[in-house]
Amino acid sequence: MQVTKAIITCGGYSTRFLPITKSVPKEMLPIHNKPIIHYIVEELQQAGITDILILCGRGREVTQNYFDKNFEVDTVLERKGVNIELNPFRDLNIMFKRVAMPRGSADCIYHAKQWVGNEPFVVAYSDDLFLGGNPTQELLDAYKKFKKPLLTTTQVPDGEQHKYGIIRLDKRQYIDEIIEKPMQNPPSNLAVVGRYLLTKDFFKFFEEDRKTLASDKEVCTTAQLNKFTKTTGLRYVTTEAKRFDTGQPVGWLDANLWVLTNFVN
Ligand code: G1P
């Protein structure tokens, strides 16, 4: 089945980037002259995704405005004879859904249940930025081959594994288990990063787990991803792209330096 849908999670409190994120959503922070979410939507578009659902928490109105046609600015530019492409995503079907209360990535993704229906879908975390490659395209290519849900991984150095979900592989090199932020004895150097290709089983797994969760507890997706490993199987792609954690100031600055060095004349 062809994959045409993707969701982008913009639900959380962005505590690692306070105080600016009190009033500027982290996905709207600029990398050179474009917000982070622009690069993510561009990545999805270039991979052939046509339908995008952006899951927005409180205060994300400016994120939605960014995708509007701005007649006023368009008119001013036209009068001045300036030619800047302000609506590169006009052919995409972009929708927004409000997330009333941030309760972690799993709960955020669950808000897409009805929209997703029966189709496989891509999940993009809005603070994971990939440059110099297209991890969504890598997922779609691998899906054609394996026909299984997939995760994107990246190699991290020893000593860094405690910051990520780390995958353990079985003898066939399939994912056996994901260990979330292992404090000791990490099973590999392959860290799960913010692009997945999932099926509707995710929603069933989340419904099962939700019964035992406190309503105010933030839940990451690792428990549900581990259920894939035990049922349908879960594969991975190690991305060729460079990954930046733009959810915190140093990662955001690194991404800007990378773009300035590689793209901007
Ligand atoms: C989440 C996931 C973790 C993954 C990371 C990558 O962690 O729980 O498995 O490695 O994203 O960005 P968070 O960054 O939300 O703590």
Side-chain angles (χ1 to χ4, degrees):
M1 187 188 264
Q2 209 190 338
V3 185
T4 59
K5 289 185 176 176
I7 63 175
I8 305 177
T9 59
C10 302
Y13 290 116
S14 317
T15 48
R16 293 181 303 153
F17 223 133
L18 284 168
I20 188 167
T21 45
K22 277 174 75 188
S23 59
V24 180
K26 67 180 169 185
E27 67 277 6
M28 287 305 290
L29 293 169
I31 306 292
H32 186 230
N33 60 350
K34 291 181 279 195
I36 291 162
I37 196 157
H38 183 112
Y39 293 84
I40 296 176
V41 172
E42 205 168 51
E43 171 195 319
L44 299 171
Q45 184 183 38
Q46 285 170 0
I49 295 290
T50 53
D51 293 80
I52 298 174
L53 179 67
I54 303 180
L55 296 162
C56 290
R58 261 176 96 76
R60 259 53 196 233
E61 293 77 11
V62 291
T63 306
Q64 303 183 33
N65 296 346
Y66 185 73
F67 294 93
D68 285 348
K69 186 168 170 60
N70 187 328
F71 286 101
E72 207 176 317
V73 177
D74 286 349
T75 311
V76 171
L77 290 183
E78 207 180 305
R79 278 196 198 137
K80 289 188 170 189
V82 180
N83 189 13
I84 304 173
E85 172 60 284
L86 288 182
N87 302 297
F89 306 128
R90 68 174 78 76
D91 293 335
L92 294 176
N93 181 18
I94 300 179
M95 297 179 73
F96 299 89
K97 182 168 181 185
R98 189 102 175 179
V99 176
M101 174 164 174
R103 291 198 188 102
S105 51
D107 177 78
C108 188
I109 296 168
Y110 188 71
H111 283 72
K113 182 181 174 185
Q114 261 71 32
W115 182 81
V116 158
N118 295 324
E119 296 176 41
F121 60 102
V122 171
V123 176
Y125 286 178
S126 62
D127 50 11
D128 268 346
L129 176 65
F130 295 85
L131 298 168
N134 189 322
T136 298
Q137 187 66 61
E138 292 166 340
L139 286 174
L140 299 189
D141 292 344
Y143 187 68
K144 274 190 201 138
K145 191 164 139 202
F146 298 126
K147 300 183 177 58
K148 300 266 183 209
L150 289 140
L151 305 180
T152 301
T153 63
T154 191
Q155 288 275 356
V156 293
D158 282 336
E160 293 280 308
Q161 289 105 323
H162 65 283
K163 298 179 185 165
Y164 301 93
I166 301 292
I167 63 172
R168 187 171 67 215
L169 299 175
D170 66 15
K171 289 198 192 86
R172 299 165 303 169
Q173 296 296 301
Y174 296 167
I175 300 178
D176 185 31
E177 195 180 355
I178 302 152
I179 319 285
E180 183 65 14
K181 307 201 173 89
M183 293 314 287
Q184 52 197 6
N185 305 325
S188 74
N189 291 79
L190 287 172
V192 178
V193 284
R195 299 292 181 274
Y196 312 150
L197 196 161
L198 301 178
T199 59
K200 65 174 181 176
D201 294 309
F202 177 86
F203 305 112
K204 185 180 73 187
F205 297 152
F206 182 73
E207 277 160 14
E208 290 165 8
D209 292 344
R210 197 171 49 174
K211 289 176 200 145
T212 55
L213 291 171
S215 63
D216 57 347
K217 193 171 170 276
E218 288 212 1
V219 244
C220 69
T221 52
T222 305
Q224 292 77 46
L225 297 178
N226 275 325
K227 288 191 170 185
F228 278 103
T229 69
K230 306 273 177 306
T231 52
T232 63
L234 183 65
R235 302 292 174 86
Y236 72 100
V237 181
T238 302
T239 184
E240 302 276 321
K242 187 149 175 53
R243 178 240 177 201
F244 297 89
D245 176 8
T246 56
Q248 42 93 11
V250 173
W252 168 80
L253 197 57
D254 279 346
N256 268 291
L257 293 174
W258 196 93
V259 167
L260 287 174
T261 315
N262 291 279
F263 288 156
V264 183
N265 297 317

